[in-house]
Amino acid sequence: MSRLPADSVSIHRLRIVHWGEMDRARRQQATARLRQQIEWSDWPEAPDQSWVFIRQVRAQAPAERLALALTSAVRDLVRSGGAEEVVRFANLTELLAALLTDLLQGQAAQRWYWQRWAHLFELSAKAPAQSVVTLLAEHLDLLPAVCARLAQQRSLERLWLSLDSAGAVQLMAELAWRHGIRLPPLDELAKAADSTAASRHETRASLRLSRTLQQRWAPILNLFTSSDPRRLLALLLLGQEAAPMMLRQAPLTLLAQLDALTRPARPVSYAEQRADRATPPPARFGAPSAATPGSTPETPDSMAPVDATSGHAPAVPVGVATHEPEVPVLSSERYPRRDGQHTETTAERGDVSAMSPTAVTTSHEDPAPSIGTEEVPPQRPPQAVHSINTSRDPAFERFHTQQGGLLYLLNLLNRPEVRVLLEDFWEHLPNGWGWLYRLGQELQLDETDPLVAYIAVQLGFDHPEQLAELPPLPAREQLLALAQRWYGRAGLWTPGLLRLDARVQADPSHVDLYAPLSAVQLPVRLAGLDINPGWLPWLGRVVNFHYE
């Protein structure tokens, strides 16, 4: 498995050097005890939503304190980040973008921190397209955000060209099943995704594409004809962001209209678009737009440079791993769930070798168990790699809001009675963000709040003032009657419900709201308004609330 369960630690190799004067039975008992202590240890969490890989950790202590010494050494490395071979990623999106880049360049097998995905190296040698499809299929929820990051790094075209038709069809089927989209057969999609057919698929829905979406997908869509499954896959992902409700209710209509909006006079070859362009870097913590060792950073033509403080932190996982010269190695990975909850810490590792009573080393490389006391030759570590977000991209947002309670209304819109209304009136507002905005206005939403500006971008507008162009709230009387019945008696259906000082981290796949623990209100909790909405198909996002 290349995916770790939430909040987990994985040790690839554990080596104990010299248990002292113990017979075999006592040594086995001590080893079993240590393994249990390691499983129960309080492993450190990497900061924020980052993944941290540590190539090797070494600890020395009496047997009864060995597990504590090991976790303490890991904690120091996670906090300081000063080790030569500590590699960090801001989040799982950054990690996947870097891994995909290295896979496409044939460099992944050379990076020690990618060994968890070693099964993809062999697959890549036999079927390059399938290795990419396999990795993307394992992370469908993150696919829009990963594509956005690769587009920013100018690698998205390379990814799409690495796909074959079969791989594109497989990903379309996976997406349709995961998101509950009833896609018709491929030949019908190909006919619909033809600008000449757009006139036969007219609706009242007003379809807008933000500049960000156009910049991201235009180079891809220009490469292929309308019937190419790779173009259809790109249109599907474009539709998931631009009009998720329309995608569920009328996929043929949406694809036809998207094709009409995006298809050029003729397909443009990859050579014409990207003649001998340098390879983009995977993003890492610590260095501006840092690349994997040996690669050269680039700035996208269509993207403005980003200041380091604006940060992109779509929510996600964490990992751990390290290195010290002349000793084996530990790799552990740990990450919090997006829903803010945690599972019990676990560890995966090889067998323990009987070797020193006071020293233990954990290792990332060579996952096979090792027995014996042989010397491990020192390895020349690659240059330490760190990453940080350094480019500005509206697709990746981090901001404070005083109207965080507006996102509570997502739980109102997700109730079965309201979802029926969303499906009945989807043509009026084909994007769930429009429903959320209009509903928030009923509670005197502060139009100057950054959250409103964010919603405007999601709806394809350049300025928040353009939100006035949206149609009125459909089924308004029915919606307000339901809201009053559900929340009126508790005194919640007031402008005060929207007032919540919080920070938001958002990307094309996820929206995460972070509020202080003191902001939790019992009436709001009892009404089910601050529970994690999770995957919202009519919004095209996974939404989670975190209280810190």
Side-chain angles (χ1 to χ4, degrees):
M1 292 291 291
S2 60
R3 296 195 69 174
L4 283 171
D7 194 23
S8 66
V9 172
S10 174
I11 301 175
H12 286 250
R13 188 178 186 184
L14 178 68
R15 188 175 270 198
I16 303 172
V17 184
H18 185 46
W19 273 121
E21 299 300 327
M22 290 187 184
D23 57 34
R24 182 181 180 84
R26 291 179 59 198
R27 204 159 51 227
Q28 289 177 342
Q29 291 176 359
T31 299
R33 213 166 29 245
L34 175 62
R35 296 176 71 173
Q36 185 178 64
Q37 289 172 354
I38 288 176
E39 288 184 358
W40 292 353
S41 292
D42 181 20
W43 292 94
E45 293 186 15
D48 296 326
Q49 301 153 359
S50 59
W51 282 72
V52 182
F53 292 90
I54 305 172
R55 190 170 188 177
Q56 178 173 281
V57 170
R58 186 178 186 182
Q60 187 168 355
E64 64 274 9
R65 297 175 54 192
L66 207 45
L68 181 62
L70 181 60
T71 55
S72 178
V74 171
R75 184 173 290 105
D76 290 343
L77 286 170
V78 169
R79 289 176 178 173
S80 66
E84 286 188 348
E85 294 194 37
V86 176
V87 176
R88 301 172 185 265
F89 297 93
N91 47 55
L92 187 56
T93 297
E94 302 281 352
L95 185 155
L96 293 173
L99 176 54
L100 282 166
T101 300
D102 280 348
L103 280 174
L104 294 173
Q105 294 177 351
Q107 297 177 348
Q110 303 170 25
R111 317 291 189 201
W112 60 265
Y113 42 87
W114 295 144
Q115 295 310 306
R116 170 166 291 279
W117 292 269
H119 65 286
L120 294 178
F121 308 160
E122 300 177 5
L123 186 59
S124 182
K126 299 175 183 177
Q130 191 55 43
S131 65
V132 171
V133 171
T134 299
L135 182 60
L136 294 178
E138 289 178 348
H139 301 277
L140 286 176
D141 288 347
L142 287 169
L143 186 52
V146 170
C147 289
R149 179 60 71 216
L150 289 174
Q152 188 188 43
Q153 297 171 355
R154 299 169 72 177
S155 289
L156 188 57
E157 297 97 317
R158 175 175 290 183
L159 172 64
W160 239 248
L161 287 168
S162 74
L163 297 173
D164 53 19
S165 295
V169 170
Q170 179 183 338
L171 284 175
M172 290 175 65
E174 298 263 11
L175 281 168
W177 179 85
R178 171 67 179 85
H179 299 328
I181 304 168
R182 296 181 180 178
L183 286 181
L186 187 62
D187 57 342
E188 291 186 37
L189 286 175
K191 290 178 182 178
D194 185 331
S195 59
T196 61
S199 60
R200 302 196 301 271
H201 295 274
E202 294 180 355
T203 71
R204 290 177 293 172
S206 176
L207 188 59
R208 289 179 174 271
L209 296 181
S210 67
R211 292 181 182 180
T212 302
L213 282 176
Q214 294 180 49
Q215 291 173 345
R216 184 187 313 157
W217 290 109
I220 304 300
L221 297 170
N222 291 349
L223 290 173
F224 308 106
T225 61
S226 292
S227 60
D228 193 305
R230 291 170 292 183
R231 190 172 201 274
L232 296 175
L233 174 61
L235 288 174
L236 185 64
L237 290 168
L238 177 57
Q240 181 178 325
E241 288 192 65
M245 295 171 65
M246 190 174 179
L247 180 61
R248 289 174 60 82
Q249 300 298 324
L252 288 176
T253 302
L254 177 60
L255 291 179
Q257 292 190 7
L258 287 174
D259 185 86
L261 287 171
T262 59
R263 194 167 76 158
R266 68 177 181 85
V268 182
S269 70
Y270 183 70
E272 289 175 298
Q273 291 190 60
R274 303 286 186 241
D276 296 326
R277 199 168 55 180
T279 302
R284 310 260 167 95
F285 257 159
S289 205
T292 27
S295 62
T296 305
E298 287 188 13
T299 301
D301 298 332
S302 58
M303 301 293 178
V306 151
D307 56 89
T309 58
S310 65
H312 329 317
V316 202
V318 172
V320 197
T322 50
H323 178 206
E324 283 212 15
E326 303 186 64
V327 257
V329 190
L330 143 79
S331 147
S332 84
E333 296 167 354
R334 176 187 182 87
Y335 57 90
R337 291 184 177 178
R338 278 187 173 279
D339 59 13
Q341 300 175 4
H342 298 271
T343 56
E344 182 179 354
T345 299
T346 60
E348 302 171 5
R349 56 191 173 279
D351 290 343
V352 180
S353 4
M355 300 179 326
S356 147
T358 56
V360 63
T361 307
T362 58
S363 109
H364 182 89
E365 300 162 318
D366 188 9
S370 65
I371 305 292
T373 59
E374 72 278 3
E375 294 278 335
V376 178
Q379 297 179 346
R380 182 180 181 82
Q383 185 178 1
V385 178
H386 307 282
S387 80
I388 196 168
N389 300 310
T390 58
S391 57
R392 178 77 174 99
D393 184 346
F396 296 87
E397 292 287 350
R398 177 182 289 181
F399 57 87
H400 277 86
T401 175
Q402 299 294 323
Q403 299 282 283
L406 178 63
L407 297 184
Y408 288 161
L409 302 187
L410 292 173
N411 280 315
L412 184 160
L413 292 170
N414 202 42
R415 294 185 68 147
E417 300 92 328
V418 180
R419 288 205 306 267
V420 171
L421 296 177
L422 297 181
E423 293 173 0
D424 288 344
F425 295 95
W426 68 267
E427 288 186 274
H428 296 267
L429 286 173
N431 192 317
W433 290 111
W435 289 78
L436 181 65
Y437 170 72
R438 285 301 193 201
L439 190 58
Q441 285 185 313
E442 300 294 335
L443 294 178
Q444 302 174 25
L445 174 65
D446 180 0
E447 303 280 350
T448 65
D449 192 86
L451 185 54
V452 175
Y454 169 76
I455 290 175
V457 173
Q458 308 316 304
L459 292 169
F461 295 111
D462 295 325
H463 305 287
E465 295 79 10
Q466 294 175 289
L467 288 168
E469 301 174 21
L470 286 174
L473 182 64
R476 177 177 179 273
E477 292 183 1
Q478 294 165 273
L479 270 174
L480 295 182
L482 289 171
Q484 191 63 38
R485 189 204 327 161
W486 292 332
Y487 312 115
R489 290 184 179 178
L492 293 175
W493 194 247
T494 68
L497 179 62
L498 305 188
R499 297 190 197 108
L500 176 65
D501 185 9
R503 59 186 176 93
V504 174
Q505 293 181 191
D507 64 32
S509 299
H510 288 73
V511 175
D512 289 84
L513 179 139
Y514 295 84
L517 192 59
S518 59
V520 176
Q521 302 177 51
L522 184 58
V524 174
R525 176 62 53 88
L526 292 176
L529 285 169
D530 68 347
I531 62 173
N532 278 323
W535 165 246
L536 299 175
W538 44 270
L539 194 69
R541 298 289 199 284
V542 175
V543 181
N544 288 311
F545 301 148
H546 310 267
Y547 297 96
E548 304 172 325

